[in-house]
């Protein structure tokens, strides 16, 4: 009986250093001022507001809008969010293998099972990979000259990732204070910007399930010490099923009480796709071997066919 196992912990490596909300605000004010903009510029006003309300928010349902140029927003939120920390974290993967083997002069066997699980550093949505496998091999000495070798192998692998992971990881947010969610844990949107992490969490899964069985039977017959025949019959079948959902995500104001008109993706861009593929493979190998030694010389010949 043999067992082997391993665990790997995956830490987040080198990441871009993000601006703080103060650094971002100072950069906005300097850039807009260098462009000739005055104190009435809406982005200079916004940057000054961010410095003044750092770590807080303004609910426009109970307060007047301090920037009239931004008339289509419901609030101002400045939480000094580090989006690298929001999206990514540490994860782990593990692998286990167990085997049992034994036999006697007439037969030998080995049975093994394995399991693998690999998690993702992305904190949002379903993003993982796991695999199961089973293998049984036998060798039978049926007679003095006749052997049978049998192998049965089965595996199943399940993979899943967010359907909208590409859109989420390439999205931008307008400033470091942009929160990752509303006060009560819903997707947040402000003007033309929306929290990208929720596209992974609620935007649907892209699942791939594959499985297969491999059966191989090998017959060996020795006519004498110089001449033998080998035949192998094989059967392999594999199935792949992909299941993809692309769903809308509704966004809210920071209090979580008012649903925004912003929806990503749009309803007409949602879809559901399911595909199935199956492959069957049959193999036959048959060959004859002859070998002879003449003094210090070896001579061998093989004749065979494969289908």
């Amino acid at each position: 009986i043999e067992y082997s196992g391993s665990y790997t912990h995956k830490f987040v490596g080198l990441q871009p250093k993000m601006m703080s909300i103060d650094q971002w605000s100072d950069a906005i004010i300097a850039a807009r001022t260098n462009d000739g903009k005055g104190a009435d510029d809406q982005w200079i006003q916004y940057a000054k507001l961010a410095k003044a309300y750092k770590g807080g928010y303004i609910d426009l349902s109970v307060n007047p809008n301090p920037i009239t140029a931004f008339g289509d927003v419901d609030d101002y939120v400045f939480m000094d969010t580090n989006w690298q920390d929001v999206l990514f974290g540490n994860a782990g993967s593990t692998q286990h293998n167990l085997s049992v083997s034994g036999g006697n002069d007439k037969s030998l066997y080995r049975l093994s099972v394995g399991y693998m699980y690999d998690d993702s550093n992305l904190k949002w949505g379903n993003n993982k990979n796991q695999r199961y496998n089973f293998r049984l091999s036998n060798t039978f000495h049926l007679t003095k000259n006749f052997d049978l070798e049998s192998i049965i192998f089965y595996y199943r692998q399940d993979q899943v990732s967010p359907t909208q992971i590409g859109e989420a990881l390439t999205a931008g947010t307008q400033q470091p204070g942009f929160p990752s969610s509303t006060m009560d844990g819903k997707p947040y949107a402000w003007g033309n910007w929306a929290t990208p992490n929720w596209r992974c969490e609620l935007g649907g899964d892209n699942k791939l399930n594959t499985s297969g069985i491999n059966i191989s039977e090998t017959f060996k017959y020795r006519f004498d010490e110089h001449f033998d025949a080998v035949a192998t019959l094989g059967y392999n079948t594999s199935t792949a099923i992909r299941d993809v959902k692309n769903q809308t995500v509704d966004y809210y104001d920071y209090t979580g009480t008012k649903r925004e008109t912003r929806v990503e993706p749009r309803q007409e861009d949602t879809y559901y796709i399911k595909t199935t593929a199956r492959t069957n493979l049959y193999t036959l190998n048959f060959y004859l071997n002859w070998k002879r030694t003449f003094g210090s010389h070896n001579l061998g010949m093989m004749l065979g066919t494969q289908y």
Side-chain angles (χ1 to χ4, degrees), residues 229-283:
V230 179
T232 301
L233 303 176
Y235 171 66
N236 179 285
T237 179
S238 60
T239 303
I241 302 174
R242 186 174 291 278
D243 197 303
V244 185
K245 294 180 181 177
N246 192 47
Q247 304 173 158
T248 61
V249 179
D250 295 326
Y251 294 89
Y252 297 80
D253 67 347
Y254 190 62
T255 64
T257 57
K258 180 181 178 182
R259 190 168 70 87
E260 300 291 317
T261 56
R262 181 182 181 86
V263 176
E264 288 184 338
R266 298 173 301 174
Q267 186 65 44
E268 56 267 32
D269 295 328
T270 61
Y271 57 82
Y272 173 70
I273 298 173
K274 186 169 186 176
T275 58
T276 302
R278 179 168 180 171
T279 301
N280 292 306
L281 176 65
Y282 305 88
T283 59

Side-chain angles (χ1 to χ4, degrees), residues 114-117 129-135 153-159 207-214 237-241:
Y115 173 72
M116 181 275 293
Y117 179 84
N129 180 22
Q130 56 185 348
R131 178 184 173 98
Y132 312 84
N133 58 271
F134 165 91
R135 180 184 176 94
F153 177 73
Y154 169 80
Y155 75 91
R156 177 184 173 90
Q157 186 161 0
D158 300 323
Q159 298 172 288
K207 299 178 181 179
L208 176 63
N209 306 115
T210 58
S211 61
I213 298 176
N214 189 311
T237 179
S238 60
T239 303
I241 302 174

Side-chain angles (χ1 to χ4, degrees), residues 119-120 122-128 159-163 165 200-201 204-207:
D119 201 4
S120 169
L122 178 67
K123 291 182 178 181
W124 299 84
N126 297 314
N127 199 33
K128 59 187 178 181
Q159 298 172 288
V160 61
S161 63
T163 303
I165 188 172
C200 292
E201 188 73 16
D205 290 337
N206 184 340
K207 299 178 181 179

Side-chain angles (χ1 to χ4, degrees), residues 7-12 88-94 117-123 127:
Y7 175 80
T8 303
H9 198 71
K10 299 186 289 186
F11 298 91
V12 178
F88 304 107
N90 298 331
S93 63
T94 184
Y117 179 84
D118 187 22
D119 201 4
S120 169
N121 291 100
L122 178 67
K123 291 182 178 181
N127 199 33

Side-chain angles (χ1 to χ4, degrees), residues 24-39:
W24 180 86
S25 300
D26 292 339
I28 289 294
I29 294 171
R32 300 295 284 183
T33 301
N34 290 340
D35 285 344
K37 307 296 183 181

Side-chain angles (χ1 to χ4, degrees), residues 94-156:
T94 184
Q95 186 163 340
H96 304 274
N97 295 284
L98 176 67
S99 66
V100 180
S101 59
N104 51 41
D105 293 341
K106 296 296 184 180
S107 65
L108 300 171
Y109 72 90
R110 179 180 174 85
L111 171 65
S112 62
V113 292
Y115 173 72
M116 181 275 293
Y117 179 84
D118 187 22
D119 201 4
S120 169
N121 291 100
L122 178 67
K123 291 182 178 181
W124 299 84
N126 297 314
N127 199 33
K128 59 187 178 181
N129 180 22
Q130 56 185 348
R131 178 184 173 98
Y132 312 84
N133 58 271
F134 165 91
R135 180 184 176 94
L136 174 63
S137 59
N138 293 278
T139 300
F140 300 98
H141 302 296
L142 302 177
T143 68
K144 180 180 178 181
N145 295 328
F146 189 27
D147 293 341
L148 169 62
E149 296 179 0
S150 176
I151 298 175
I152 301 175
F153 177 73
Y154 169 80
Y155 75 91
R156 177 184 173 90

